[in-house]
Amino acid sequence: MQEKVLIIDFGSQYTQLIARRVRESEVYCEIVPYNKVPEITPEVKGIILSGSPCSVNEVDAPTVDLAKLLAARPLLGVCYGAQLLAKNNGGNVEKSDKREYGRAHLEIDKTDDVLLNGVSNNSQVWMSHGDTIRSVGDKFELIAHSDSKVVAAFRGKEGEFQHPVYALQFHPEVFHSTEGHKIIKNFLHNICGCTNSWTPASFVEETIANLKTTIGEEHVLLGLSGGVDSSVAALLLHKAIGKNLVCVFVDNGLLRKNEFSSVLEQYKGMGLNVIGVDAGYEFLSELKGVSDPEQKRKVIGRVFIEVFEKEALKHPEVKWLAQGTIYPDVIESVSVKGPSATIKSHHNVGGLPERLKLKIIEPLRYLFKDEVRRAGKQLELYPDILNRHPFPGPGLAVRILGDITEEKVKVLQEADYIYINNLKQFGLYDQVWQAGAILTPIKTVGVMGDERTYENVLALRAVNSTDGMTADWTHLPWDFLAKTSNDIINHVRGVNRVVYDISSKPPATIEWE
């Protein structure tokens, strides 16, 4: 039975970051919306209340049955969670009369406190709240305040609650709280009594055992993309059920140069029972004349389902459909703010399970992206696949601005091939989170030899990120950019100008479409 911590989400932009910090401490956790809190089962060792964009003083402010939670397990309130604890236990929370956003410094009042054990006095923390706690109430005592005398941390007085209760009016999970990781670890290990049981090895072992029990002798169908998520899912299933896993790798005509053949060979080399389907003609035919980015995605999603269904019908023995869904997708679908209307509309195969009467299995549904990679390393997934940059589901279709033609795909494949190979040759590939070339519909005048040219502008994009939610453009060396530009212009007919995208996310996005 995997011990875990529950994170109750009130809609904060930082909730996933709390979960990541908990997982980095080798403790398993799950995020649940405040309005869907489950029963507290024996494996739950502690509870964390997240922040929120709301005010606790709003008429319809999000709340939970605090008395029930306080009676159940040790509890930590973060920002809004801290304010909720104070307000509901005799404290006073009011609108701030000064801006409390940004860096602050802790002044520790209780130097013997377990939560702040090992934390330096004057340690930097990150404040982000519109309300402030004026008083914590009679059931709590202050353990730290900020350098501007704002309540920073407090705890339940001895004998007031059944379990330890702590609250922070700053965000320990963000990078700018320099010793926040210590505070989170102290709560997990020293207050909740969690052990370091959440490791790649433990996940792999437990998941394979669960898959064997769940699936038994039945057959499973899995669509492979060449990316790390579906590949790790395939290896887990392969170790659980062997040849009863049928993998389908579809070439939509929008993959990188030589990717279909090379990845197919790698999958076969891993012992997977994999079928390659060359469907490039179907996809490009349906995309003819389509320029709108969202329409492109819908066309690709529809054709993929049609191609995949045709292949699935050849395997009547299959009872399960496996998907590479990861935890951020799951969280989004049960979000406090409601499921997104457009998130990854191409990612999972629409109504296919219902039409084919297949059950769904999602081996990675509780993993973040970095955890998927760690599990893949544990499974000895080929480094070429394990360390491959994220690639959009619609492929090069969203890196060709405007309508798609076979000629444009070939131009972009060649340019992208040079770009990615140069990154590898310069030793830069593993230093970049994601890179790709974008073919624009803009044409400019150039000169090659004595001839005037009028050809396309190609943009290069490279970003660094943790999970794609935010991203900074990568400062690639000038000599690399110079050589790559020269190589592309000299070897790719149809491109006479190369530019480098220096936009970060936000306000830009990683992909151009």
Side-chain angles (χ1 to χ4, degrees):
M1 184 170 62
Q2 177 70 59
E3 65 179 24
K4 66 182 176 184
V5 168
L6 279 186
I7 299 170
I8 298 177
D9 179 27
F10 293 98
S12 170
Q13 61 178 320
Y14 298 135
T15 302
Q16 284 197 38
L17 198 49
I18 297 175
R20 297 178 73 86
R21 296 292 177 257
V22 172
R23 302 269 186 105
E24 286 167 6
S25 301
E26 296 184 332
V27 174
Y28 178 65
C29 64
E30 290 180 13
I31 297 171
V32 296
Y34 74 90
N35 53 358
K36 295 180 182 176
V37 178
E39 287 300 312
I40 308 302
T41 50
E43 64 269 23
V44 176
K45 299 297 181 184
I47 299 167
I48 298 176
L49 306 179
S50 84
S52 174
C54 303
S55 165
V56 293
N57 293 319
E58 292 173 7
V59 175
D60 56 350
T63 190
V64 289
D65 187 343
L66 276 179
K68 185 177 180 180
L69 298 180
L70 289 166
R73 295 291 185 276
L75 190 142
L76 173 66
V78 175
C79 200
Y80 181 89
Q83 294 169 356
L84 202 61
L85 283 167
K87 181 179 173 65
N88 282 268
N89 287 280
N92 183 30
V93 180
E94 297 178 0
K95 187 77 173 173
S96 300
D97 53 15
K98 59 182 176 180
R99 190 168 178 263
E100 291 176 3
Y101 178 84
R103 292 172 178 83
H105 293 87
L106 278 187
E107 294 186 7
I108 297 174
D109 300 300
K110 304 285 185 183
T111 55
D112 62 341
D113 184 74
V114 178
L115 185 70
L116 302 180
N117 181 46
V119 177
S120 314
N121 201 33
N122 206 41
S123 180
Q124 178 181 288
V125 295
W126 186 260
M127 296 278 190
S128 179
H129 51 90
D131 290 343
T132 194
I133 299 168
R134 300 295 183 196
S135 65
V136 298
D138 294 338
K139 294 183 179 182
F140 295 109
E141 57 186 345
L142 197 66
I143 58 175
H145 58 277
S146 74
D147 48 352
S148 59
K149 306 307 176 187
V150 171
V151 171
F154 56 96
R155 69 187 179 193
K157 289 179 179 177
E158 192 171 345
E160 290 290 348
F161 302 99
Q162 287 178 249
H163 300 278
V165 183
Y166 282 88
L168 306 170
Q169 202 175 204
F170 60 88
H171 289 274
E173 69 275 18
V174 303
F175 173 79
H176 300 297
S177 291
T178 53
E179 293 181 281
H181 63 288
K182 287 184 183 178
I183 297 172
I184 291 171
K185 282 185 176 181
N186 284 340
F187 176 71
L188 297 171
H189 299 304
N190 301 335
I191 296 170
C192 299
C194 295
T195 59
N196 298 71
S197 62
W198 180 247
T199 63
S202 69
F203 168 78
V204 167
E205 183 180 346
E206 186 175 331
T207 301
I208 291 170
N210 288 340
L211 289 171
K212 285 179 178 178
T213 302
T214 303
I215 298 166
E217 298 298 317
E218 294 181 332
H219 287 67
V220 178
L221 187 69
L222 169 66
L224 289 167
S225 68
V228 67
D229 297 344
S230 65
S231 301
V232 171
L235 278 182
L236 287 167
L237 285 158
H238 177 66
K239 287 187 177 292
I241 62 172
K243 293 294 182 182
N244 284 0
L245 171 67
V246 180
C247 299
V248 177
F249 182 32
V250 176
D251 182 3
N252 60 9
L254 299 160
L255 301 176
R256 284 179 157 142
K257 182 180 178 181
N258 300 332
E259 187 170 29
F260 181 62
S261 56
S262 64
V263 172
L264 194 58
E265 285 307 307
Q266 286 179 313
Y267 281 144
K268 288 178 178 176
M270 284 160 21
L272 296 178
N273 176 19
V274 58
I275 299 160
V277 180
D278 182 356
Y281 176 79
E282 287 97 315
F283 282 88
L284 292 176
S285 296
E286 291 294 317
L287 283 167
K288 188 174 181 180
V290 178
S291 298
D292 178 74
E294 187 56 27
Q295 192 60 31
K296 287 181 192 177
R297 287 182 168 85
K298 288 178 179 175
V299 169
I300 291 167
R302 173 177 58 78
V303 178
F304 178 80
I305 289 172
E306 291 168 359
V307 170
F308 197 81
E309 182 177 20
K310 191 183 298 182
E311 195 59 42
L313 290 171
K314 298 176 185 176
H315 302 277
E317 74 280 7
V318 166
K319 303 298 180 188
W320 295 83
L321 177 69
Q323 296 187 153
T325 309
I326 62 175
Y327 200 39
D329 301 331
V330 176
I331 295 167
E332 179 72 19
S333 69
V334 294
S335 166
V336 166
K337 300 170 186 176
S340 166
T342 57
I343 185 168
K344 292 188 176 179
S345 54
H346 58 276
H347 180 72
N348 292 327
V349 284
L352 192 58
E354 292 80 14
R355 291 214 296 270
L356 296 176
K357 296 182 171 57
L358 297 179
K359 296 173 281 187
I360 295 288
I361 192 87
E362 296 171 316
L364 308 177
R365 68 178 282 109
Y366 293 114
L367 293 192
F368 288 103
K369 191 75 168 187
D370 53 330
E371 293 174 316
V372 175
R373 292 193 192 280
R374 289 201 289 272
K377 189 174 182 180
Q378 181 71 28
L379 288 160
E380 299 182 339
L381 177 62
Y382 287 166
D384 278 359
I385 296 178
L386 181 66
N387 301 318
R388 177 173 287 141
H389 291 174
F391 189 64
L396 299 180
V398 292
R399 293 183 179 174
I400 297 172
L401 307 191
D403 66 322
I404 312 294
T405 66
E406 188 174 354
E407 181 185 2
K408 289 179 182 178
V409 171
K410 286 179 179 176
V411 168
L412 184 55
Q413 283 178 331
E414 292 298 329
D416 182 81
Y417 185 77
I418 291 169
Y419 181 31
I420 299 300
N421 271 8
N422 280 0
L423 281 171
K424 292 176 179 177
Q425 288 171 15
F426 273 70
L428 296 168
Y429 186 83
D430 291 333
Q431 297 176 35
V432 174
W433 188 75
Q434 183 172 341
I438 297 97
L439 185 64
T440 79
I442 302 166
K443 292 195 171 188
T444 64
V445 173
V447 178
M448 291 187 181
D450 293 327
E451 293 183 7
R452 174 188 182 276
T453 62
Y454 190 56
E455 295 178 338
N456 292 80
V457 176
L458 183 100
L460 303 180
R461 181 79 159 133
V463 298
N464 283 91
S465 178
T466 301
D467 51 19
M469 300 298 287
T470 61
D472 291 322
W473 65 276
T474 305
H475 294 239
L476 294 174
W478 300 126
D479 57 339
F480 165 81
L481 290 171
K483 183 178 189 308
T484 301
S485 173
N486 194 56
D487 289 348
I488 289 171
I489 291 170
N490 284 343
H491 293 95
V492 181
R493 185 176 294 275
V495 175
N496 68 354
R497 190 179 299 269
V498 173
V499 298
Y500 187 54
D501 182 349
I502 58 169
S503 311
S504 292
K505 176 185 178 181
T509 53
I510 294 175
E511 299 296 338
W512 280 33
E513 285 195 340

